[in-house]
Structure formats: C-alpha cells, structure tokens
Amino acid sequence: MVTKALLTLGGGALSFTCVNVTLFGISHQIPWYIAWMLDPLASLALITVLYVDGVLAEHGGDYKPGGWPFLLRWTAGLSTWVMNCWTSLYPDGHFHFVPQKPDAGGILLHSVAPALLILLAEAATGYRKYATRRRGELTAIIARFESSKIAEREAAEKRAREKAEREEAAKREEAEREAAAKRAREEREAAQREREENARLENERRQAEIEAASRARREEIEAERERLALTERTAEIEATRLKAEAEIEERRRREQWEREQAERDREAARQAEIVKAEAQAEALRKEAEAAAEAERIKAEAEARALEEAEKLKRQRALERAAAKTRGTSESAVARTSISSGRTSESGAALSAVPALTASENGGRIPREVREKQRDEAERYIAKCSLSGIAPDLERLGNQYGKGETWVGDRVRAAKRRLAEEDGFEESVIADALDVFEDDTTSDAGAA
C-alpha cells in the first residue's frame, strides 16, 4: 500500500510540476518540445532514489543510504521545488539572494506536491523497516513452531518405523525357517531322484557302449576295404598325373625356348633400328646446327650493319641540328628574352626551349604548363646529351624560374627516359630535325 501510494503521489506530483517547469523553461528561450523533458528527468530521479532506498530498507539488513543517494535526493527535490517556485520567489524576474517580494501563496501552492512526495518517501522507509522487522520476528516464531512440529513428527515416524522393522524381522525369521525346512525336504527328494536317474543312465551307458563297440567294428572293416580301394585308385591317378606333368613340362620348356629365341631376334632388330635412327638424328642435328649458325651469323652481320647505319644517320642529323642551333642561337635568345621579359648573354644552348614561366606578380602556374615545362626541359637535356653538348643548367633554371633541385630532377629524368622509355630517343631526334628544317625554312624566307 505504501509503495502504491508513493508511486501514485509521485505520478501526480510529476504531472502537476511538469506544467510549471515547462512554462519556466519556455520563458527562458527553450523550445517547448525540449523544455517539457526537464521536470520528468528531475522528478523520475527523485522518485527512483526514494523508491530504491525504501525497497532496500524493506529487505532488511544494515543498509544505510550513503552520501551520493543523499546528494541525488536533495538535488533532484530542491531543483524541482526551485523551478516550480521561481516565479513566486522572484515575481519581478530579478534574482536576489533573499527574495524581495515573494508570493507566499504561490510558494505554498508549488511546495505542497514535492514536500508530500519527499515526506511520504521518508515515512515509507520507516514503515517498511517496521514491517520488515515485525515480519522477521513472526517468521522466526513460525520457523521455531514448524521445527518443533517436524521434530515431533520425525520422532513418531521413527518409533513406528522401528516397530515395523521388528515385526518385519520376526516375519522374515519365520519365513526363513519354513524355507530351510522346505529346502531340506526338497534336497532329500532330489537326492533320491538323482540316484534313480544315475542308475538308469548307467544301464543306458553300458548298452550304448556295447552297441557302439559292435558298430565301430563293422565300420572299421568297411573303412579298411574302402582304404584299400582308395589306395589302388590313388596309385592310378598318381601315375596319370606324373605322366601329364612330364608332358606339360616338356611342352613348357619348348615354348619357353621358342619365346626366348623370338625375343632375342626382336631385340637385335630393335637395336639395329635404334642405331640407325640415332645416326640419322645426329646427322640431321648437325645439319640444322650448321644452318642455324650460318643464319645467326648472317643476321648478326645485318643487324650490326643496320645499327651502324642508323647510328651514323642519327649522329649526322644531330650534328646538323647542333650546327644550325649554334648558328641561330642569337636570334632565338632575342625572341626568348622578349617573350619572357628577361635577357641573357648565354642563351645559345637554350634556343630550342620556349620560355614558360609564372607571371611576374607570383601567380600560380597551371598544372598543364608545369608538365609542359618539365617535358621541354628534359627534351632539351636529352638533345644536348645526344649531340655531345653540355647543357647550360644555370640558364635552364633561370629561364623557368626554378632552383638547382628542379634542374637536377630534370637531368635525372632525361637520363632515365633515354634509358627506359620506348620511343623517347627517336622523338628527341625527330624534334631536333623538325627544328632544323623549320629554321632552314625561316632563314630561306628571310633571305
């Protein structure tokens, strides 16, 4: 009853205070769909700690609430009470440590439900402790009474059991005596029947022995006659068997000799065929090796000749391109200086490289332009390497506005591409020849 009353009062207090706390939260700029959750949280925490303390006290023992349950109980209760009474404590909306114009009726109105809940919970704890203590005392009295009743019942059952056991023992002894007399009588009768049976069996045994001796004699005579006949038949069969075995052995030796002779002939023919085939195979192998060696020597000679011719052709093309490049370096330097806004006195080695630099105000160079700069710089270094000309690395870095690290990366990249990238060397040579032809055409037009 106390638990139901506590839960009922807790639910009513929660419903009563929830409206005030929700309005209090809305007045402090909290949305209504969030503000309504504040009072249930605090009230449920209060109801929980009060109910748990009461239940633990009801179960007895030395349970005493510690500091945390006390802090939780009073924090939840005071927070609920203060939020309910806030508008009554500070009607003007200004906080003072000591309220200036409190609304006594409002404070009383909003204090009744939390106060009743807390006081009922505290009183319920005392009720539960008393009920628990009283129930323990009554339980102990009932337990002692039941123990005495059980002891009396066990003593009566023990006396009845001992009396029944004595009567059962007397009955067993009487039955055993009767059974012993019956067994003795049956044993005497069985001994008499056994003697009579033994005498009858002895007569039957003697009669059977006489009959068995005469029957064994007759069987022995018959067996002797059958043995003699069997001996004669066995001798005839043995003679026939020996004759047949001799004939079979003779035929087997003859067939074995014929098979061995045929096998020797086949082996000799096979060896002759093997020798002949090996000789033919050796001749064909030597002939094929000679032909392959001749073809290889011829192919190597042709390849060397083609390689020398191609090498000579590339070398001449590069020499012509280098000579033309050196001849037109001054005009290329002038064109490069006008397009890039810089001048150079040693631009002859870079005349084949366009100036693709960032703007003077520090703008970011697009990715496509950076890739084109790297490719053109690597092709320039490759042209110089193939032409036997030392590239002007300092001028190369200045033209693109790059440092020594970038220039060193381009040198290593050009060497790697010449060694690993298929078609890169041919592309560089073709670019050099195109530049040479374009310059020749432009010089001719200028003339």
Side-chain angles (χ1 to χ4, degrees):
M1 184 182 67
V2 169
T3 301
K4 291 179 181 179
L6 178 62
L7 294 178
T8 302
L9 181 59
L14 173 62
S15 301
F16 178 76
T17 59
C18 182
V19 177
N20 297 326
V21 175
T22 302
L23 295 176
F24 175 73
I26 293 173
S27 66
H28 286 78
Q29 289 76 43
I30 298 177
W32 66 268
Y33 52 85
I34 297 177
W36 71 269
M37 294 188 292
L38 180 59
D39 184 67
L41 293 175
S43 298
L44 288 176
L46 177 60
I47 294 172
T48 300
V49 69
L50 295 175
Y51 180 72
V52 171
D53 286 345
V55 171
L56 294 177
E58 180 183 359
H59 283 285
D62 297 330
Y63 171 75
K64 292 181 180 179
W68 287 109
F70 175 82
L71 180 62
L72 175 59
R73 181 167 61 248
W74 284 99
T75 300
L78 288 176
S79 62
T80 302
W81 178 80
V82 170
M83 286 188 292
N84 271 275
C85 298
W86 184 267
T87 55
S88 299
L89 288 171
Y90 305 104
D92 56 353
H94 298 288
F95 174 78
H96 302 281
F97 187 76
V98 177
Q100 299 297 320
K101 298 178 180 180
D103 182 3
I107 294 173
L108 176 62
L109 176 66
H110 296 302
S111 301
V112 171
L116 288 177
L117 178 61
I118 295 174
L119 293 175
L120 179 59
E122 296 294 339
T125 302
Y127 294 152
R128 288 193 181 99
K129 289 181 179 179
Y130 172 76
T132 302
R133 183 175 66 257
R134 186 58 180 166
R135 185 170 56 247
E137 294 173 357
L138 296 176
T139 302
I141 294 172
I142 293 171
R144 287 194 298 272
F145 176 74
E146 290 180 350
S147 298
S148 63
K149 296 296 289 185
I150 291 171
E152 292 176 359
R153 188 169 56 252
E154 288 179 352
E157 290 177 354
K158 183 177 180 182
R159 288 192 297 272
R161 190 168 50 252
E162 291 176 352
K163 181 179 179 181
E165 288 177 355
R166 287 193 298 270
E167 294 176 355
E168 185 67 23
K171 291 179 180 179
R172 281 200 301 270
E173 290 177 359
E174 182 66 24
E176 287 176 358
R177 285 194 297 271
E178 293 178 357
K182 185 178 179 181
R183 282 197 302 272
R185 187 170 57 255
E186 290 176 353
E187 288 176 358
R188 288 192 298 271
E189 294 175 356
Q192 182 64 26
R193 287 194 300 271
E194 185 178 358
R195 285 192 296 270
E196 294 174 355
E197 185 67 19
N198 289 336
R200 186 180 63 80
L201 292 176
E202 183 64 24
N203 293 332
E204 291 177 356
R205 184 181 63 78
R206 291 196 187 100
Q207 185 67 26
E209 287 178 354
I210 293 170
E211 292 177 358
S214 74
R215 188 170 55 253
R217 182 60 184 167
R218 288 194 302 271
E219 290 176 355
E220 186 177 351
I221 293 170
E222 289 293 331
E224 184 64 23
R225 285 199 296 267
E226 290 178 359
R227 187 179 62 78
L228 292 175
L230 181 60
T231 301
E232 293 176 356
R233 286 196 303 272
T234 302
E236 293 175 358
I237 292 170
E238 185 66 21
T240 304
R241 186 182 63 78
L242 293 174
K243 182 179 179 181
E245 287 181 353
E247 293 176 355
I248 292 170
E249 182 65 22
E250 181 63 24
R251 187 165 58 253
R252 188 185 62 77
R253 284 199 297 268
R254 185 168 58 252
E255 291 174 355
Q256 180 68 21
W257 180 83
E258 291 175 356
R259 283 196 301 272
E260 291 177 355
Q261 185 64 29
E263 184 66 27
R264 285 194 292 272
D265 295 341
R266 284 196 300 272
E267 183 65 22
R270 190 172 64 82
Q271 291 295 332
E273 290 293 335
I274 290 173
V275 171
K276 182 179 179 181
E278 288 178 352
Q280 291 176 356
E282 184 66 21
L284 291 174
R285 186 181 62 78
K286 290 181 178 179
E287 183 178 353
E289 289 179 354
E293 184 66 21
E295 290 293 334
R296 187 182 63 77
I297 293 172
K298 181 179 178 181
E300 289 179 354
E302 292 177 356
R304 283 197 297 272
L306 289 174
E307 185 179 355
E308 291 295 332
E310 185 69 21
K311 194 173 186 181
L312 181 60
K313 181 179 177 180
R314 285 200 306 269
Q315 186 66 28
R316 289 176 179 177
L318 291 172
E319 289 176 357
R320 289 196 300 271
K324 186 62 181 174
T325 301
R326 285 192 297 270
T328 59
S329 60
E330 294 298 329
S331 60
V333 169
R335 290 195 300 270
T336 303
S337 301
I338 293 172
S339 62
S340 61
R342 296 189 301 271
T343 59
S344 174
E345 297 179 358
S346 58
L350 299 174
S351 59
V353 181
L356 296 173
T357 61
S359 59
E360 293 298 334
N361 58 0
R364 181 177 179 83
I365 300 176
R367 179 181 178 182
E368 296 79 5
V369 176
R370 293 199 303 273
E371 292 179 353
K372 188 173 181 182
Q373 286 180 350
R374 290 194 291 268
D375 182 70
E376 291 179 350
E378 292 168 2
R379 288 179 176 274
Y380 162 69
I381 295 170
K383 289 177 186 178
C384 294
S385 177
L386 293 173
S387 302
I389 301 173
D392 191 348
L393 301 180
E394 182 179 359
R395 173 61 187 146
L396 180 64
N398 293 333
Q399 180 169 346
Y400 289 105
K402 306 292 183 179
E404 295 181 358
T405 303
W406 185 86
V407 174
D409 292 340
R410 302 285 73 76
V411 173
R412 288 188 291 273
K415 292 180 180 180
R416 184 173 64 255
R417 293 179 68 180
L418 285 172
E420 300 177 358
E421 185 175 337
D422 295 337
F424 180 70
E425 183 177 350
E426 290 77 4
S427 176
V428 171
I429 295 172
D431 291 344
L433 293 177
D434 291 342
V435 171
F436 176 71
E437 291 175 359
D438 292 344
D439 292 342
T440 303
T441 302
S442 62
D443 290 347

mmCIF file of all heavy atoms in Angstrom, residues 344-370:
data_model
loop_
_atom_site.group_PDB
_atom_site.id
_atom_site.type_symbol
_atom_site.label_atom_id
_atom_site.label_comp_id
_atom_site.label_asym_id
_atom_site.label_seq_id
_atom_site.Cartn_x
_atom_site.Cartn_y
_atom_site.Cartn_z
ATOM 1 N N SER A 344 69.510 37.458 -71.605
ATOM 2 C CA SER A 344 70.614 36.554 -71.267
ATOM 3 C C SER A 344 71.695 36.686 -72.312
ATOM 4 O O SER A 344 71.402 36.890 -73.494
ATOM 5 C CB SER A 344 70.108 35.119 -71.201
ATOM 6 O OG SER A 344 71.192 34.266 -71.024
ATOM 7 N N GLU A 345 72.892 36.589 -71.869
ATOM 8 C CA GLU A 345 74.026 36.645 -72.776
ATOM 9 C C GLU A 345 74.498 35.282 -73.213
ATOM 10 O O GLU A 345 75.341 35.175 -74.076
ATOM 11 C CB GLU A 345 75.179 37.373 -72.088
ATOM 12 C CG GLU A 345 74.829 38.832 -71.753
ATOM 13 C CD GLU A 345 75.973 39.514 -71.052
ATOM 14 O OE1 GLU A 345 76.981 38.821 -70.808
ATOM 15 O OE2 GLU A 345 75.873 40.719 -70.753
ATOM 16 N N SER A 346 74.031 34.169 -72.587
ATOM 17 C CA SER A 346 74.500 32.811 -72.927
ATOM 18 C C SER A 346 73.316 31.952 -73.286
ATOM 19 O O SER A 346 73.203 30.848 -72.832
ATOM 20 C CB SER A 346 75.253 32.204 -71.740
ATOM 21 O OG SER A 346 74.389 32.187 -70.629
ATOM 22 N N GLY A 347 72.388 32.388 -74.086
ATOM 23 C CA GLY A 347 71.172 31.655 -74.414
ATOM 24 C C GLY A 347 71.321 30.754 -75.601
ATOM 25 O O GLY A 347 70.329 30.220 -76.089
ATOM 26 N N ALA A 348 72.504 30.541 -76.156
ATOM 27 C CA ALA A 348 72.666 29.703 -77.348
ATOM 28 C C ALA A 348 72.263 28.286 -77.086
ATOM 29 O O ALA A 348 71.621 27.649 -77.915
ATOM 30 C CB ALA A 348 74.122 29.770 -77.815
ATOM 31 N N ALA A 349 72.585 27.732 -75.907
ATOM 32 C CA ALA A 349 72.260 26.325 -75.619
ATOM 33 C C ALA A 349 70.798 26.125 -75.336
ATOM 34 O O ALA A 349 70.329 25.004 -75.329
ATOM 35 C CB ALA A 349 73.083 25.845 -74.432
ATOM 36 N N LEU A 350 70.011 27.203 -75.106
ATOM 37 C CA LEU A 350 68.605 27.068 -74.748
ATOM 38 C C LEU A 350 67.693 27.581 -75.842
ATOM 39 O O LEU A 350 66.515 27.803 -75.605
ATOM 40 C CB LEU A 350 68.299 27.840 -73.460
ATOM 41 C CG LEU A 350 69.038 27.393 -72.232
ATOM 42 C CD1 LEU A 350 68.736 28.358 -71.086
ATOM 43 C CD2 LEU A 350 68.651 25.979 -71.876
ATOM 44 N N SER A 351 68.207 27.770 -77.019
ATOM 45 C CA SER A 351 67.376 28.350 -78.071
ATOM 46 C C SER A 351 66.236 27.450 -78.466
ATOM 47 O O SER A 351 65.228 27.913 -78.966
ATOM 48 C CB SER A 351 68.247 28.647 -79.291
ATOM 49 O OG SER A 351 68.852 27.435 -79.757
ATOM 50 N N ALA A 352 66.341 26.159 -78.223
ATOM 51 C CA ALA A 352 65.270 25.233 -78.591
ATOM 52 C C ALA A 352 64.233 25.077 -77.503
ATOM 53 O O ALA A 352 63.292 24.331 -77.654
ATOM 54 C CB ALA A 352 65.861 23.857 -78.917
ATOM 55 N N VAL A 353 64.356 25.778 -76.382
ATOM 56 C CA VAL A 353 63.444 25.611 -75.244
ATOM 57 C C VAL A 353 62.601 26.868 -75.103
ATOM 58 O O VAL A 353 63.140 27.924 -74.800
ATOM 59 C CB VAL A 353 64.212 25.349 -73.942
ATOM 60 C CG1 VAL A 353 63.244 25.146 -72.793
ATOM 61 C CG2 VAL A 353 65.147 24.165 -74.121
ATOM 62 N N PRO A 354 61.262 26.823 -75.270
ATOM 63 C CA PRO A 354 60.421 28.010 -75.087
ATOM 64 C C PRO A 354 60.411 28.427 -73.622
ATOM 65 O O PRO A 354 60.539 27.610 -72.732
ATOM 66 C CB PRO A 354 59.028 27.543 -75.525
ATOM 67 C CG PRO A 354 59.265 26.326 -76.349
ATOM 68 C CD PRO A 354 60.487 25.698 -75.835
ATOM 69 N N ALA A 355 60.186 29.688 -73.374
ATOM 70 C CA ALA A 355 60.146 30.226 -72.007
ATOM 71 C C ALA A 355 58.729 30.165 -71.501
ATOM 72 O O ALA A 355 57.882 30.940 -71.902
ATOM 73 C CB ALA A 355 60.665 31.674 -71.993
ATOM 74 N N LEU A 356 58.439 29.208 -70.594
ATOM 75 C CA LEU A 356 57.113 29.042 -69.987
ATOM 76 C C LEU A 356 57.280 29.257 -68.501
ATOM 77 O O LEU A 356 57.615 28.355 -67.764
ATOM 78 C CB LEU A 356 56.553 27.651 -70.279
ATOM 79 C CG LEU A 356 56.289 27.344 -71.742
ATOM 80 C CD1 LEU A 356 55.897 25.880 -71.901
ATOM 81 C CD2 LEU A 356 55.190 28.232 -72.281
ATOM 82 N N THR A 357 57.125 30.468 -68.021
ATOM 83 C CA THR A 357 57.342 30.806 -66.605
ATOM 84 C C THR A 357 56.072 31.374 -66.014
ATOM 85 O O THR A 357 55.120 31.710 -66.734
ATOM 86 C CB THR A 357 58.492 31.812 -66.451
ATOM 87 O OG1 THR A 357 58.121 32.994 -67.157
ATOM 88 C CG2 THR A 357 59.781 31.254 -67.040
ATOM 89 N N ALA A 358 56.082 31.491 -64.677
ATOM 90 C CA ALA A 358 54.946 32.110 -63.994
ATOM 91 C C ALA A 358 54.941 33.594 -64.237
ATOM 92 O O ALA A 358 55.952 34.189 -64.649
ATOM 93 C CB ALA A 358 55.016 31.812 -62.499
ATOM 94 N N SER A 359 53.854 34.232 -63.979
ATOM 95 C CA SER A 359 53.751 35.682 -64.140
ATOM 96 C C SER A 359 54.614 36.368 -63.091
ATOM 97 O O SER A 359 54.948 35.798 -62.068
ATOM 98 C CB SER A 359 52.287 36.121 -64.029
ATOM 99 O OG SER A 359 51.789 35.749 -62.776
ATOM 100 N N GLU A 360 54.941 37.636 -63.380
ATOM 101 C CA GLU A 360 55.850 38.365 -62.512
ATOM 102 C C GLU A 360 55.227 38.654 -61.138
ATOM 103 O O GLU A 360 55.923 38.829 -60.158
ATOM 104 C CB GLU A 360 56.232 39.700 -63.187
ATOM 105 C CG GLU A 360 57.071 39.514 -64.455
ATOM 106 C CD GLU A 360 58.404 38.846 -64.159
ATOM 107 O OE1 GLU A 360 58.880 38.982 -63.024
ATOM 108 O OE2 GLU A 360 58.956 38.200 -65.057
ATOM 109 N N ASN A 361 53.911 38.700 -61.038
ATOM 110 C CA ASN A 361 53.273 39.016 -59.755
ATOM 111 C C ASN A 361 53.105 37.799 -58.874
ATOM 112 O O ASN A 361 52.333 37.803 -57.939
ATOM 113 C CB ASN A 361 51.913 39.673 -59.982
ATOM 114 C CG ASN A 361 51.000 38.784 -60.794
ATOM 115 O OD1 ASN A 361 51.404 37.696 -61.165
ATOM 116 N ND2 ASN A 361 49.773 39.263 -61.063
ATOM 117 N N GLY A 362 53.780 36.629 -59.206
ATOM 118 C CA GLY A 362 53.729 35.455 -58.333
ATOM 119 C C GLY A 362 52.512 34.588 -58.511
ATOM 120 O O GLY A 362 52.179 33.825 -57.628
ATOM 121 N N GLY A 363 51.813 34.651 -59.675
ATOM 122 C CA GLY A 363 50.635 33.807 -59.886
ATOM 123 C C GLY A 363 51.006 32.336 -59.979
ATOM 124 O O GLY A 363 52.124 31.983 -60.350
ATOM 125 N N ARG A 364 50.077 31.460 -59.696
ATOM 126 C CA ARG A 364 50.332 30.011 -59.704
ATOM 127 C C ARG A 364 50.297 29.479 -61.129
ATOM 128 O O ARG A 364 49.351 29.759 -61.870
ATOM 129 C CB ARG A 364 49.283 29.299 -58.848
ATOM 130 C CG ARG A 364 49.480 27.816 -58.779
ATOM 131 C CD ARG A 364 48.446 27.189 -57.864
ATOM 132 N NE ARG A 364 48.623 25.751 -57.814
ATOM 133 C CZ ARG A 364 49.485 25.118 -57.029
ATOM 134 N NH1 ARG A 364 50.261 25.829 -56.246
ATOM 135 N NH2 ARG A 364 49.566 23.793 -57.028
ATOM 136 N N ILE A 365 51.325 28.718 -61.522
ATOM 137 C CA ILE A 365 51.400 28.149 -62.867
ATOM 138 C C ILE A 365 50.464 26.959 -62.947
ATOM 139 O O ILE A 365 50.488 26.092 -62.083
ATOM 140 C CB ILE A 365 52.841 27.709 -63.181
ATOM 141 C CG1 ILE A 365 53.782 28.928 -63.106
ATOM 142 C CG2 ILE A 365 52.923 27.075 -64.571
ATOM 143 C CD1 ILE A 365 55.226 28.585 -63.294
ATOM 144 N N PRO A 366 49.618 26.866 -63.976
ATOM 145 C CA PRO A 366 48.718 25.701 -64.099
ATOM 146 C C PRO A 366 49.507 24.410 -64.204
ATOM 147 O O PRO A 366 50.676 24.399 -64.591
ATOM 148 C CB PRO A 366 47.915 25.996 -65.374
ATOM 149 C CG PRO A 366 48.030 27.478 -65.570
ATOM 150 C CD PRO A 366 49.367 27.855 -65.044
ATOM 151 N N ARG A 367 48.794 23.336 -63.870
ATOM 152 C CA ARG A 367 49.444 22.020 -63.876
ATOM 153 C C ARG A 367 49.903 21.628 -65.270
ATOM 154 O O ARG A 367 50.988 21.066 -65.449
ATOM 155 C CB ARG A 367 48.458 20.986 -63.336
ATOM 156 C CG ARG A 367 49.004 19.584 -63.325
ATOM 157 C CD ARG A 367 47.962 18.626 -62.806
ATOM 158 N NE ARG A 367 48.471 17.262 -62.836
ATOM 159 C CZ ARG A 367 47.761 16.201 -62.483
ATOM 160 N NH1 ARG A 367 46.510 16.358 -62.076
ATOM 161 N NH2 ARG A 367 48.289 14.989 -62.535
ATOM 162 N N GLU A 368 49.071 21.917 -66.296
ATOM 163 C CA GLU A 368 49.452 21.560 -67.664
ATOM 164 C C GLU A 368 50.724 22.292 -68.083
ATOM 165 O O GLU A 368 51.599 21.723 -68.757
ATOM 166 C CB GLU A 368 48.314 21.889 -68.631
ATOM 167 C CG GLU A 368 47.030 21.085 -68.415
ATOM 168 C CD GLU A 368 46.215 21.610 -67.262
ATOM 169 O OE1 GLU A 368 46.619 22.659 -66.707
ATOM 170 O OE2 GLU A 368 45.198 20.959 -66.910
ATOM 171 N N VAL A 369 50.847 23.570 -67.660
ATOM 172 C CA VAL A 369 52.046 24.347 -68.023
ATOM 173 C C VAL A 369 53.275 23.778 -67.333
ATOM 174 O O VAL A 369 54.345 23.655 -67.933
ATOM 175 C CB VAL A 369 51.832 25.824 -67.655
ATOM 176 C CG1 VAL A 369 53.099 26.634 -67.920
ATOM 177 C CG2 VAL A 369 50.665 26.400 -68.447
ATOM 178 N N ARG A 370 53.118 23.374 -66.006
ATOM 179 C CA ARG A 370 54.264 22.792 -65.302
ATOM 180 C C ARG A 370 54.725 21.492 -65.961
ATOM 181 O O ARG A 370 55.931 21.251 -66.115
ATOM 182 C CB ARG A 370 53.884 22.533 -63.839
ATOM 183 C CG ARG A 370 53.639 23.792 -63.027
ATOM 184 C CD ARG A 370 53.735 23.517 -61.526
ATOM 185 N NE ARG A 370 52.808 22.491 -61.122
ATOM 186 C CZ ARG A 370 51.550 22.731 -60.774
ATOM 187 N NH1 ARG A 370 51.082 23.985 -60.801
ATOM 188 N NH2 ARG A 370 50.748 21.749 -60.394
#
